Amino acid sequence: MQHWMNALNRHWGIAAELRQLAGEYDLNFLAEAANGARYLLKVMRAGCDPALVQMQIGALDHIGAAAPGLPVAKPVAALDGSKLVEIADAEGLARLVWVQEALPGACYADVTPHSEDLILRLGRVLGASDRALDGFAHPALTRDFKWDLTAARWIEGELDVIHDDTRRALINGIADDFARVEDQLNALPRQAIHNDANDYNILVEGELGRTAISGLIDFGDMCAAPKVCELAIAGAYVVLDHPRPERALAALVRGYHAANRLSVDEVELIWPLLRMRLAVSVVNSALMALQVPDDPYVTISQGPAWRFLENTAVKGGLVSARLRAACGFPVTEGADRIRDHIDAHRGSYPALIGEDLAQAPMGSLSVETSTYPRDPFHMPVEDAARLGAVVPDAPIWFGSYNEPRLIYAGPAFRSGPWRASDRRTVHLGVDIFAPAGTLLYAPLSGRVEAVENRSDPLDYGGVVILHHETPQGDAFYTLYGHLDPEICDRLKPGDPVAQGSAFCRLGTPEQNGGWAPHAHFQLALTADGMAPDWPGVADPDDITFWQAICPNPAALLNLPDEKTAHFPTSKEAVWQDRQAHFAPNLRLSYDDPVMVVRGWRHHLFDEWGRPYLDAYNNVPHVGHAHPRLQAVAAEQLGRVNTNTRYLHPAQTAFADKLLSKLPDPLQVCFFVNSGSEANELALRLARAYSGATGIVTPDHGYHGNTTGAIDISAYKFNAPGGIGPSDWVELIEVADDFRGRFRRDDPYRARKFADLVDPAIAALQAKGHGLAGFIAETFPSVGGQIIPPVGYLPAVYDKVRAAGGVCIADEVQTGLGRLGEYYFGFEQQGAVPDIVVLGKPIGNGHPIGVVITTRTIADSFAQGPEFFSTFGGSTLSCRIGKEVLDIVDEEGLQDNAQRMGARLIDGLRQIEGDFVCVGDVRGMGLFLGVELVNPNGSEATEICAYLKNRMRDHRILIGSEGPKDNILKIRPPLTIEAEDIDMILITLRDILEEVGDYAPPATCDHTHHHSGCGCC
Ligand SMILES: Cc1ncc(COP(=O)(O)O)c(C=O)c1O
């Protein structure tokens, strides 16, 4: 090392510390000079051909001059002006040595996520660098070596090295496909290309998802080849183990095309070339394994390539179509001609079911309006058979194209392991509901492409695909599903079907997969990659591509496109209207807000039917859209819904049920409409009983949005722009034994935190307010999902009562079984409050608040005026509240909260052990917090925001809390199941990997201003 340090200093005049970097044959050193400048010192292997190094230096200089903004290294001249110097190493062997300026960033291989945006940027860099390299000439560019993709057929002579017959046949097939396009490839102009944009030759800079390409390095494998080889090689790495390989590749190609135009012919070559490059890679590795049989790494490293090549879900025909679309070309060669041809005859096609459909109504099966099926994860066959009733009095009606639906509920429609994984929801055809037996007439002449009986429940039953052609010979296809399978006896592939002939008929539910009789009618511009599945629905996140392949078939029905198409409500339009109609402090969650149109248990669905795991909402305590609550509400609204000025048994039934859950002294209920209102009332009760006005409450608490509730909610009154503290409120430090004044290693912390009440009471008394009471969220939630040390609350209550105050437990967040082991939070503390406040979950979404107190306190309040709340205690509310409590008991939800909470907290604790930014995991049952910390121990607000938004990207809704918003809040409906817990844990782990060793940029503390702090 010292030798090369001296050499660097002597020849380049650079005094620097060296650190050796990985390198197979050459020595690479990172050199850090005292002034902060960083260089790469490259000592080539002994005997290295100088021409190869000259070629790289020439290329880097060429790019530097042609495109100075590109992230490629600049060679640094030695003191004598040369950029390549021969220097003897310590053994006296002559070595070629050169120096570059070092580029910032980490290897693409070590950075996650490989987002489509990052891949697009990579495509742009590659496109731009190829543009810059066009015109660069060097004799060494033309050479015979195994990584020249145009000469890749060398593998054909080595295939015996692949012992597995199936794999060998696969590689053979790839080589055959390559041979078919070889002439086309060789006809393309050649130019200098980088030729090896693999994961280790790309540098990425940036953190927490804001990443950019900061380096394209190692030009050692350059050669002269058609530029499309560059893309195919980069693509061969980008797709490996990518969750959406086709989309990743399309992003790369789109980026490249934006910087360096590709022709359609070039785009068509990408897929066969990409596969050939992977074939070269696996054959090369197999050959290497022969040389180093004991090195398992050689074979293991090929796992991703084999996985990709053997993945039958990636359909080559569709990949090419996708890449064409990514570059703005028609999705298939004939796509524009086919559409024009079909359009030109709109109005003159034979009627599909023999009659004019212009007046037939549309029926909705959309996620926004339909409740088929109730459970969006299970479509009962009985429901499928009843779909005809969606438009009750019409013998014939349409189901729409582009309509997101939840009726496709089985795992086959999901592309991941979880219920909230990506799901195909959007209908690619038009449905025509008509009686079974209705004859279908061919709108166009054609021949049978395929005919089948797919007899599984909820499949197509009888299905026919017809092949048609435009006058120019462009093939396209129409699909007819849910037919009487008798068609299989009459038709076979290749049979002609005359335009206007009655060629099949609608099946009964017994014949058509179990559905109400209807035809699924779909148009497809290609068969390549479609068979054998012929997907009839698509993932909403991929819908633009699928609609290019399967356009709206309205023209073939002689209808305008608008007649058969559905347009989901635009989230953007609603978002804009919201800004117009509401105040800006009505906030949305997540950088990319979610529009929610359906819910079921602990899942939500947006307007495109995308599922989300709801791990945040505590209001739907027993789950979204609970059928029992729907039934009770409908039933009661059909009878009467009135107020507490009249007697009704539902009022006492609700009170009885509630009081059965509470300790003895708590005997009297007040029904109101919200947690805020309940806390207001609790204050009045405390004041009526004590005759005093002062309130002690922990810092960062939240008790509601009304005037009095805000006064006792430091989270609001102390927020920026908040109204500030009221004279009658004394704050005490929240009993947070992770970050607070007394920590978990202090056995007396409960008492010490409780003692903070004493000066607060004294202050209120000194100010003449006296003590009306103490109010606290039993486990502070917005304060950061905090579980106070056991014994805290009883000690506080003793002090408060001794001073004449009452003890109010705000159990809005913690009550009703969420904690698993305890029905209420105060039970865990071994304390009995004088007033309990309930809200949110008790109505499961219906607005209910409840205050429960002792007979004595209620009596003192009753000395005052009449208490009346118009809607509080309405018949409907009482029925719903009681039903919620019954459901918690009857569905064993408290027990579920305990079991699922234990699974979650166990998994979170393991995560805590593996990631340094997870500072604390705390909670109980399904009331959990994960505190994120920076390397210096401070609150990691940015990491928390990143995790929350990335979890949302992965379809998991969680929140964040705490004074510095650095605590992830996990608080799902109590119905959550083990697979959902696992989804949370596995996804969180993946996203924490993305965070890496992020540390926020140092900021000025504003007490000690210094130059360059950037903020003062
Ligand atoms: C602990 C606590 N108390 C009271 C409230 C206020 O309830 P509401 O929004 O129903 O008025 C909330 C609401 O978030 C809460 O979390």
Side-chain angles (χ1 to χ4, degrees):
M1 190 96 80
Q2 187 63 42
H3 178 84
W4 296 117
M5 244 163 88
N6 295 343
L8 182 63
N9 202 352
R10 186 157 14 98
H11 292 273
W12 277 268
I14 297 172
E17 294 290 326
L18 295 195
R19 183 158 59 85
Q20 187 160 359
L21 304 174
E24 229 176 324
Y25 305 109
D26 309 320
L27 295 174
N28 287 320
F29 299 98
L30 182 68
E32 296 214 57
N35 66 359
R38 294 162 80 245
Y39 303 92
L40 200 64
L41 173 69
K42 294 177 76 74
V43 180
M44 310 310 283
R45 73 205 77 165
C48 169
D49 179 359
L52 288 178
V53 190
Q54 299 285 14
M55 170 186 78
Q56 295 179 60
I57 294 172
L60 291 173
D61 280 340
H62 185 92
I63 297 176
L70 278 181
V72 296
K74 288 188 182 28
V76 179
L79 294 173
D80 67 1
S82 61
K83 290 188 176 163
L84 185 58
V85 181
E86 195 177 281
I87 303 173
D89 65 15
E91 278 79 49
L93 281 175
R95 306 284 285 254
L96 292 172
V97 182
W98 56 303
V99 173
Q100 311 171 351
E101 287 177 3
L103 295 170
C107 284
Y108 180 89
D110 298 331
V111 172
T112 56
H114 292 161
S115 67
E116 286 175 37
D117 178 61
L118 182 65
I119 294 171
L120 181 120
R121 288 161 189 264
L122 171 61
R124 294 173 86 109
V125 167
L126 291 174
S129 83
D130 282 352
R131 249 178 105 110
L133 281 174
D134 193 13
F136 171 70
H138 194 278
L141 285 171
T142 312
R143 62 200 156 112
D144 196 12
F145 81 139
K146 63 185 175 186
W147 299 116
D148 174 358
L149 195 46
T150 61
R153 287 181 68 185
W154 65 263
I155 63 169
E156 287 172 4
E158 306 285 353
L159 289 189
D160 286 350
V161 79
I162 312 270
H163 300 309
D164 180 294
D165 290 346
T166 322
R167 285 188 161 180
R168 196 170 51 254
L170 173 67
I171 299 298
N172 226 333
I174 293 172
D176 287 349
D177 289 345
F178 177 82
R180 272 191 283 277
V181 298
E182 203 178 16
D183 288 347
Q184 230 177 306
L185 178 65
N186 286 330
L188 292 172
R190 289 181 180 241
Q191 66 154 88
I193 62 168
H194 177 283
N195 201 41
D196 192 19
N198 74 52
D199 295 9
Y200 292 91
N201 285 343
I202 298 156
L203 300 180
V204 176
E205 195 179 30
E207 282 160 318
L208 298 188
R210 293 180 295 269
T211 45
I213 304 296
S214 59
L216 175 63
I217 60 173
D218 194 352
F219 283 63
D221 275 349
M222 283 179 73
C223 73
K227 68 178 192 280
V228 67
C229 293
E230 186 88 289
L231 253 181
I233 292 165
Y237 292 100
V238 156
V239 293
L240 296 187
D241 286 340
H242 196 283
R244 293 168 158 179
E246 302 102 318
R247 294 185 52 175
L249 182 61
L252 181 81
V253 172
R254 190 152 76 90
Y256 189 100
H257 184 68
N260 195 346
R261 292 325 242 184
L262 296 160
S263 67
V264 175
D265 291 345
E266 285 173 308
V267 173
E268 293 279 5
L269 285 171
I270 295 170
W271 181 242
L273 292 185
L274 180 156
R275 294 193 1 124
M276 190 62 170
R277 168 65 180 219
L278 289 174
V280 170
S281 181
V282 294
V283 171
N284 183 61
S285 284
L287 288 169
M288 303 250 298
L290 289 182
Q291 288 166 22
V292 278
D294 298 334
D295 184 352
Y297 181 74
V298 177
T299 348
I300 292 169
S301 66
Q302 289 311 307
W306 280 117
R307 265 198 297 284
F308 182 76
L309 291 174
E310 291 171 337
N311 178 1
T312 49
V314 179
K315 313 270 191 211
L318 290 177
V319 170
S320 283
R322 189 184 286 276
L323 299 186
R324 296 173 66 112
C327 297
F329 298 125
V331 72
T332 63
E333 212 223 307
D336 291 346
R337 286 191 295 270
I338 297 166
R339 268 202 294 263
D340 289 349
H341 172 72
I342 292 174
D343 251 6
H345 299 89
R346 195 190 301 250
S348 61
Y349 293 105
L352 185 68
I353 63 164
E355 56 185 281
D356 182 11
L357 292 171
Q359 301 312 318
M362 306 296 296
S364 175
L365 295 170
S366 122
V367 57
E368 285 185 62
T369 51
S370 168
T371 45
Y372 278 109
R374 279 305 295 149
D375 173 354
F377 300 103
H378 173 60
M379 178 71 187
V381 189
E382 308 79 64
D383 273 14
R386 275 198 296 266
L387 283 188
V390 164
V391 185
D393 298 320
I396 294 166
W397 58 275
F398 283 113
S400 304
Y401 177 77
N402 194 40
E403 184 173 69
R405 302 169 168 180
L406 298 183
I407 58 177
Y408 312 108
F413 293 95
R414 267 190 236 157
S415 62
W418 315 113
R419 273 179 292 195
S421 294
D422 290 347
R423 168 169 168 163
R424 293 187 291 128
T425 56
V426 187
H427 197 226
L428 292 173
V430 170
D431 292 318
I432 299 138
F433 284 79
T438 300
L439 289 172
L440 298 191
Y441 299 86
L444 297 155
S445 62
R447 59 181 156 77
V448 175
E449 173 78 11
V451 52
E452 276 178 56
N453 181 15
R454 298 203 195 166
S455 55
D456 283 350
L458 303 180
D459 206 326
Y460 273 140
V463 57
V464 178
I465 293 147
L466 299 184
H467 169 118
H468 315 279
E469 276 179 21
T470 63
Q472 294 89 350
D474 306 302
F476 63 98
Y477 304 82
T478 50
L479 180 149
Y480 310 79
H482 307 301
L483 307 177
D484 182 340
E486 59 79 35
I487 193 163
C488 298
D489 305 329
R490 277 194 299 110
L491 291 178
K492 58 180 187 321
D495 283 356
V497 173
Q499 186 174 35
S501 63
F503 70 108
C504 59
R505 59 173 177 251
L506 298 191
T508 61
E510 293 69 37
Q511 298 166 326
N512 76 0
W515 301 90
H518 74 286
H520 170 94
F521 176 53
Q522 187 174 335
L523 173 62
L525 303 195
T526 182
D528 201 1
M530 295 291 280
D533 309 335
W534 292 92
V537 273
D539 182 337
D541 289 328
D542 211 10
I543 197 63
T544 314
F545 169 66
W546 279 101
Q547 291 189 345
I549 294 283
C550 297
N552 186 344
L556 293 170
L557 299 169
N558 301 318
L559 297 170
D561 282 0
E562 311 76 71
K563 167 81 183 173
T564 58
H566 172 84
F567 300 96
T569 303
S570 152
K571 179 170 98 175
E572 284 64 35
V574 172
W575 197 351
Q576 267 178 19
D577 283 357
R578 176 175 160 122
Q579 279 156 18
H581 301 333
F582 303 109
N585 60 349
L586 187 73
R587 297 265 285 279
L588 283 163
S589 296
Y590 311 112
D591 295 347
D592 178 10
V594 186
M595 186 153 93
V596 173
V597 298
R598 268 291 294 276
W600 179 253
R601 302 185 76 221
H602 44 280
H603 285 90
L604 292 169
F605 295 84
D606 70 13
E607 73 282 12
W608 284 100
R610 297 182 193 97
Y612 298 82
L613 171 61
D614 186 356
Y616 177 70
N617 283 295
N618 59 344
V619 177
H621 194 61
V622 299
H624 294 278
H626 200 294
R628 277 177 66 174
L629 296 176
Q630 191 193 341
V632 158
E635 189 186 80
Q636 194 54 48
L637 285 171
R639 291 179 190 159
V640 71
N641 182 24
T642 185
N643 61 53
T644 49
R645 289 228 168 87
Y646 307 98
L647 291 171
H648 193 286
Q651 298 155 359
T652 42
F654 182 27
D656 275 346
K657 178 81 192 186
L658 259 174
L659 295 175
S660 75
K661 299 288 183 188
L662 284 154
D664 266 354
L666 294 163
Q667 291 176 356
V668 183
C669 298
F670 295 86
F671 296 141
V672 289
N673 308 122
S674 69
S676 308
E677 208 188 334
N679 278 318
E680 289 279 357
L681 182 58
L683 289 181
R684 288 179 64 200
L685 292 173
R687 285 170 175 166
Y689 171 80
S690 65
T693 52
I695 293 285
V696 176
T697 188
D699 204 353
H700 305 299
Y702 182 62
H703 300 284
N705 62 28
T706 54
T707 306
I710 292 285
D711 282 341
I712 51 171
S713 300
Y715 163 70
K716 291 286 177 198
F717 70 66
N718 270 342
I723 55 167
S726 301
D727 196 45
W728 52 273
V729 175
E730 277 297 316
L731 292 182
I732 52 168
E733 182 177 331
V734 66
D736 172 1
D737 60 8
F738 175 71
R739 203 170 271 288
R741 198 182 315 188
F742 311 111
R743 302 279 170 100
R744 288 176 197 161
D745 55 356
D746 180 348
Y748 305 110
R749 62 196 186 285
R751 187 180 49 73
K752 289 180 180 172
F753 274 120
D755 286 347
L756 301 177
V757 169
D758 297 332
I761 295 174
L764 288 173
Q765 284 165 342
K767 284 189 273 184
H769 297 297
L771 180 65
F774 167 86
I775 182 165
E777 299 163 71
T778 306
F779 295 167
S781 182
V782 297
Q785 302 289 92
I786 290 158
I787 313 289
V790 170
Y792 169 71
L793 221 44
V796 172
Y797 283 8
D798 283 350
K799 291 169 190 290
V800 169
R801 286 178 181 136
V806 303
C807 302
I808 308 169
D810 183 335
E811 290 273 347
V812 167
Q813 299 259 355
T814 39
L816 313 187
R818 170 164 299 279
L819 302 175
E821 210 175 322
Y822 308 99
Y823 200 80
F824 292 106
F826 57 76
E827 294 167 12
Q828 184 262 358
Q829 288 279 316
V832 177
D834 304 308
I835 299 176
V836 171
V837 169
L838 299 176
K840 295 185 195 252
I842 201 160
N844 211 66
H846 181 76
I848 303 181
V850 183
V851 180
I852 306 119
T853 190
T854 61
R855 176 57 62 196
T856 323
I857 293 175
D859 284 349
S860 46
F861 179 63
Q863 303 299 311
E866 175 207 9
F867 167 75
F868 178 65
S869 163
T870 303
F871 304 117
S874 73
T875 340
L876 179 63
S877 297
C878 290
R879 290 288 312 276
I880 289 180
K882 160 85 164 40
E883 198 72 8
V884 169
L885 299 179
D886 286 344
I887 293 170
V888 172
D889 287 349
E890 288 160 28
E891 293 188 2
L893 293 181
Q894 183 179 352
D895 181 48
N896 192 55
Q898 184 170 8
R899 284 183 295 111
M900 293 304 117
R903 189 181 182 101
L904 187 49
I905 207 155
D906 269 5
L908 290 172
R909 292 237 155 92
Q910 284 174 29
I911 287 178
E912 181 184 10
D914 293 340
F915 294 91
V916 63
C917 68
V918 178
D920 190 34
V921 168
R922 54 185 175 245
M924 201 172 286
L926 293 172
F927 179 90
L928 297 170
V930 179
E931 175 146 3
L932 284 320
V933 296
N934 290 318
N936 67 2
S938 62
E939 295 90 340
T941 309
E942 295 92 341
I943 296 179
C944 186
Y946 180 75
L947 293 176
K948 180 173 78 167
N949 280 296
R950 286 292 289 152
M951 291 291 272
R952 177 248 179 273
D953 292 346
H954 285 264
R955 309 269 176 72
I956 299 174
L957 306 182
I958 52 176
S960 60
E961 288 294 8
K964 298 269 176 72
D965 215 11
N966 67 313
I967 294 129
L968 288 179
K969 169 155 146 178
I970 309 183
R971 207 186 41 176
L974 303 196
T975 50
I976 197 161
E977 293 170 36
E979 94 155 60
D980 311 301
I981 301 292
D982 295 348
M983 179 187 190
I984 296 174
L985 293 170
I986 289 173
T987 311
L988 185 60
R989 198 172 261 284
D990 283 352
I991 297 173
L992 280 162
E993 296 282 358
E994 297 173 13
V995 170
D997 51 6
Y998 173 82
T1003 50
C1004 181
D1005 62 9
H1006 290 279
T1007 53
H1008 173 73
H1009 295 277
H1010 55 86
S1011 62
C1013 73
C1015 58
C1016 41

